[in-house]
Amino acid sequence: SNSMKTFALSILFVVLASIASAQSVILGFGYSDFSAGNGEDSATFALEFQGAPIFGGKNVAGGLAASAVLDAEGDAFVGVGLYGTVDLGQAWFLEGSVMPGYYSDGTSENDLGGNLQFRTLLAVGRTLASGNRLSVAVTHKSNASLDDDNPGVNTLLLRWHRPF
């Protein structure tokens, strides 16, 4: 359908634009839990690109990021927004982000009330000796009650960060 072609082209554009300016690529694997009782929970894959920091200081930094998320039920999300990190010392860090984006349900049970969804993320992680990072993240997607129906979905991810 035309909407799926538009969706696929949008993902491709966001991914290509993000790769061009990426400072970090993050791969995540986890599990999504849909708040609606009839939701189909499933394994989830996430790909994120974070650009070079455009604000911050000694222990705090942030910038632009893009993310694409796909689960085993065929539900897909692509978003662009802001991320921030806080250096906690001893190689530990906190990360947060907010991304508005486009959501498409792969199964009607996972309808989140509309295509415009907001993804928030909170993660804690550790920088490895190689410079790569590992983190555990919790994300939440919802339409912020912009639509009449707003069931939301929570995802737990184990993430591997590769800086450039």
Side-chain angles (χ1 to χ4, degrees), residues 23 50-64 82-88 93-97 133:
Q23 177 170 323
Q50 293 181 346
I54 55 175
F55 62 86
K58 184 178 175 208
N59 294 325
V60 178
L64 298 175
L82 294 174
Y83 78 91
T85 59
V86 178
D87 179 2
L88 300 175
F93 66 93
L94 287 178
E95 177 188 345
S97 66
R133 294 174 151 196

Side-chain angles (χ1 to χ4, degrees), residues 6 8-9 20 33 43 57 92 99 107 109 112 122 133 144:
T6 302
L9 287 174
D33 178 20
W92 291 93
M99 291 186 189
T107 179
E109 289 85 357
L112 294 181
L122 183 60
R133 294 174 151 196

Side-chain angles (χ1 to χ4, degrees), residues 67-78:
S67 182
V69 180
L70 183 66
D71 70 28
E73 292 297 318
D75 307 310
F77 172 82
V78 60

Side-chain angles (χ1 to χ4, degrees), residues 7 67 76-81 98-104 114-119 141-142:
F7 178 62
S67 182
F77 172 82
V78 60
V80 177
V98 177
M99 291 186 189
Y102 179 84
Y103 174 81
S104 174
N115 295 118
L116 175 61
Q117 299 292 317
F118 298 88
R119 190 211 74 178
K141 282 191 285 292
S142 82

